[in-house]
Amino acid sequence: DVKVTQSSRYLVKRTGEKVFLECVQDMDHENMFWYRQDPGLGLRLIYFSYDVKMKEKGDIPEGYSVSREKKERFSLILESASTNQTSMYLCASSFSGADNEQFFGPGTRLTVL
Amino acid sequence: GQSLEQPSEVTAVEGAIVQINCTYQTSGFYGLSWYQQHDGGAPTFLSYNALDGLEETGRFSSFLSRSDSYGYLLLQELQMKDSASYFCAVRNSGNTPLVFGKGTRLSVIA
């Protein structure tokens, strides 16, 4: 089975802290994505990557950065966490050319106090 | 730009059939996908339509009309476990990522 894992299920941080969210997939997928999910807003794309060392901004990249040093790992970084970044963060991956089928991790519920 | 419209909530009776509609406006079109997400769970892929017509997978079917920029997900013989949120998603091209709708929360009642 395809497995996408995220480093934490729940995370509580303080305003101004630097936050790292890690995502690892074990299916050799080229594509990886970070979304945030808020009630009534659906899934909004923060950043994505179609290859190692490559990154592209999604719809809401402000306040976030990413790192993809290895194919299987895609990290989301909140440089200085703010309360409006309290959300559910979902990582996903897919094969190149088959992006319509994405595989999601279990999500990280981040609370910024 | 691109936008997707789907109803925010739908309620249906166990054993019945329900249709969840999705209309989209995109500069290009590279297929319509559907995902299911149970409360507290991760979204999971259900279906993909690249061409017009109906795709059937067990109790679930998905339909696409590219000329109408419209698709729907059809769930038959509804079960309580089908209570979940359903998202439609489209791509503009083969080089752009999926854009998701805001989701439809389906409640199946006895």
Side-chain angles (χ1 to χ4, degrees):
Chain A
D1 283 347
V2 174
K3 184 172 276 188
V4 181
T5 57
Q6 296 183 226
S7 50
S8 303
R9 194 76 172 93
Y10 298 94
L11 206 54
V12 180
K13 295 292 181 180
R14 295 205 175 273
T15 302
E17 280 193 81
K18 191 169 186 176
V19 181
F20 293 86
L21 303 182
E22 303 284 340
C23 175
V24 178
Q25 50 92 7
D26 67 358
M27 280 301 292
D28 203 33
H29 285 166
E30 292 83 8
N31 306 336
M32 296 190 76
F33 308 86
W34 274 107
Y35 298 89
R36 65 177 283 176
Q37 185 173 27
D38 302 286
L41 297 179
L43 292 157
R44 294 182 292 166
L45 183 63
I46 305 171
Y47 268 95
F48 62 101
S49 169
Y50 283 161
D51 201 352
V52 178
K53 305 282 187 181
M54 178 267 184
K55 58 186 177 184
E56 292 280 348
K57 292 180 179 179
D59 298 318
I60 52 164
E62 296 78 20
Y64 304 94
S65 63
V66 290
S67 172
R68 192 162 182 207
E69 295 297 317
K70 293 185 177 182
K71 189 176 185 180
E72 67 271 18
R73 186 180 299 268
F74 194 35
S75 303
L76 180 69
I77 303 153
L78 287 67
E79 295 291 340
S80 177
S82 63
T83 55
N84 63 13
Q85 292 179 309
T86 291
S87 186
M88 171 66 83
Y89 289 88
L90 289 160
C91 174
S93 69
S94 67
F95 281 116
S96 176
D99 187 43
N100 292 287
E101 182 175 4
Q102 293 185 7
F103 297 85
F104 284 81
T108 296
R109 169 80 57 191
L110 173 67
T111 301
V112 182
L113 301 175
Chain B
Q2 50 208 350
S3 66
L4 296 95
E5 294 289 331
Q6 52 181 128
S8 57
E9 294 183 5
V10 173
T11 300
V13 177
E14 191 176 16
I17 299 172
V18 72
Q19 179 175 310
I20 299 173
N21 298 321
C22 174
T23 57
Y24 58 87
Q25 287 186 313
T26 56
S27 54
F29 181 77
Y30 205 76
L32 177 68
S33 301
W34 288 94
Y35 285 76
Q36 178 192 59
Q37 185 181 28
H38 286 100
D39 285 349
T44 56
F45 174 80
L46 288 177
S47 67
Y48 168 62
N49 294 67
L51 302 175
D52 291 352
L54 193 68
E55 296 277 345
E56 298 182 59
T57 309
R59 294 188 298 113
F60 292 8
S61 303
S62 57
F63 172 82
L64 175 65
S65 169
R66 288 174 297 170
S67 60
D68 295 322
S69 298
Y70 163 75
Y72 64 73
L73 182 68
L74 190 74
L75 295 81
Q76 302 182 73
E77 301 172 19
L78 278 173
Q79 302 175 9
M80 301 300 285
K81 67 179 182 180
D82 297 329
S83 293
S85 292
Y86 293 85
F87 296 87
C88 59
V90 297
R91 295 171 71 193
N92 274 340
S93 74
N95 295 321
T96 57
L98 281 173
V99 176
F100 286 84
K102 294 182 178 179
T104 298
R105 187 173 183 85
L106 171 64
S107 298
V108 180
I109 59 175

